[in-house]
Amino acid sequence: MENAAPVWPERTAELLEAVRARSPLVQCITNTVVQNVTANVLLALGASAAMVDVPTEAGPFARVADALLVNTGTPHAEPRVASVEAATAAVEHGTPWVLDPVAVGSLPVRTALARDLLAIGPTVLRGNASEVLALLGASAGGRGVDSTAGTDDARAASVDAAGRLVGAVAVSGPVDLVAGSGAPDWSGTVVRVANGSELLTRITGGGCALGAVIAAFTAVSPEDPGAAAVAGTLVHTVAAELAAADAGGPGTFQPLFLDRLASLTPEDVLRVARVTEERAA
């Protein structure tokens, strides 16, 4: 049974202010298609980005960064090595990190890499339903970056993984789903975020940038990865929804989205958020 969940917009508003106050430095090992988008989204949010993806540099940098994003979108040889190096260093040093297993399942190189990274223990696993199911061994994956499954299909696997393999799982879709752990009030709770816009799927990097936004929120909520995943998802999708209201299409949406991220206030979050929660069976 779903219930309105006013605590999540309030917590997100608090965490948004914390991100703006701290301006966390997020190390991004991400795909070459979205590097510029990802950096601009983090800057608009109030965080900072560093694309440190070279072996022998990635590990040491993960020890000084406030958070790490590892995205498997273009798994060339050097970034593969750097990803494992940075994730290992992050865990050793206590740096929170997000794994975004782009297009895993049918593609062997990135799938093997993502499974190695999962074994290291991400703070948050973020992906669409097909990616999450494929990585957790529950399906063969989707069609490239396109999901062929819905968030409800990934619900049981996400709840099982949260607190066991990862701190939290954030599944993107028309209604996003987050399963978390780490705080007493989770206790099997699944949170759904119904904000957003279809235009996010019509620009390059709409989903990949969400992984970076969640990483920024883990920097200010490392003890509660579920809350960080909800807050990052909610801020990202509320900004997108507000931007879409003024956009004529994907070309005007992208700059408006950055503007909305930059100007988003805690009051905007409280006013626009559509969040429900339910207890896992």
Side-chain angles (χ1 to χ4, degrees):
M1 179 178 179
E2 291 189 355
N3 299 293
V7 65
W8 294 111
E10 292 171 359
R11 187 172 298 183
T12 295
E14 294 171 357
L15 291 177
L16 176 59
E17 290 187 312
V19 168
R20 298 262 174 78
R22 181 173 174 181
S23 188
L25 175 61
V26 181
Q27 179 183 2
C28 300
I29 302 177
T30 191
N31 76 74
T32 56
V33 179
V34 303
Q35 287 179 344
N36 183 67
V37 174
T38 299
N40 284 336
V41 164
L42 284 171
L43 289 170
L45 176 66
S48 296
M51 305 322 196
V52 182
D53 59 0
V54 178
T56 73
E57 290 185 354
F61 199 86
R63 297 176 182 275
V64 300
D66 295 308
L68 166 69
L69 166 69
V70 176
N71 174 303
T72 64
T74 49
H76 303 303
E78 280 203 344
R80 293 203 306 271
V81 174
S83 295
V84 174
E85 179 186 305
T88 301
V91 170
E92 290 174 351
H93 191 68
T95 303
W97 71 285
V98 174
L99 172 60
D100 193 339
V102 175
V104 301
S106 59
L107 299 172
V109 172
R110 73 191 63 226
T111 300
L113 171 62
R115 287 176 178 160
D116 288 343
L117 291 164
L118 180 66
I120 297 171
T123 307
V124 178
L125 168 64
R126 189 227 75 85
N128 65 40
S130 289
E131 291 164 346
V132 168
L133 285 167
L135 185 56
L136 297 179
S139 81
R143 188 183 62 185
V145 298
D146 296 328
S147 182
T148 56
T151 53
D152 276 331
D153 297 320
R155 181 182 183 278
S158 299
V159 170
D160 179 64
R164 185 174 64 87
L165 298 175
V166 299
V169 181
V171 187
S172 298
V175 176
D176 298 297
L177 179 150
V178 176
S181 68
D185 55 338
W186 275 103
S187 303
T189 297
V190 171
V191 177
R192 298 180 189 269
V193 177
N195 294 99
S197 168
E198 187 266 343
L199 288 173
L200 274 174
T201 67
R202 296 178 61 194
I203 62 169
T204 299
C208 292
L210 172 56
V213 170
I214 291 175
F217 278 91
T218 65
V220 297
S221 184
E223 75 292 342
D224 193 346
V230 172
T233 300
L234 188 52
V235 164
H236 194 82
T237 56
V238 165
E241 189 171 310
L242 293 173
D246 297 322
T252 52
F253 170 73
Q254 190 165 32
L256 286 170
F257 176 50
L258 292 176
D259 286 347
R260 281 296 190 177
L261 272 175
S263 65
L264 194 71
T265 65
E267 291 73 25
D268 290 330
V269 173
L270 296 174
R271 175 174 56 86
V272 180
R274 296 191 304 280
V275 185
T276 56
E277 67 177 34
E278 62 189 51
R279 292 293 174 181

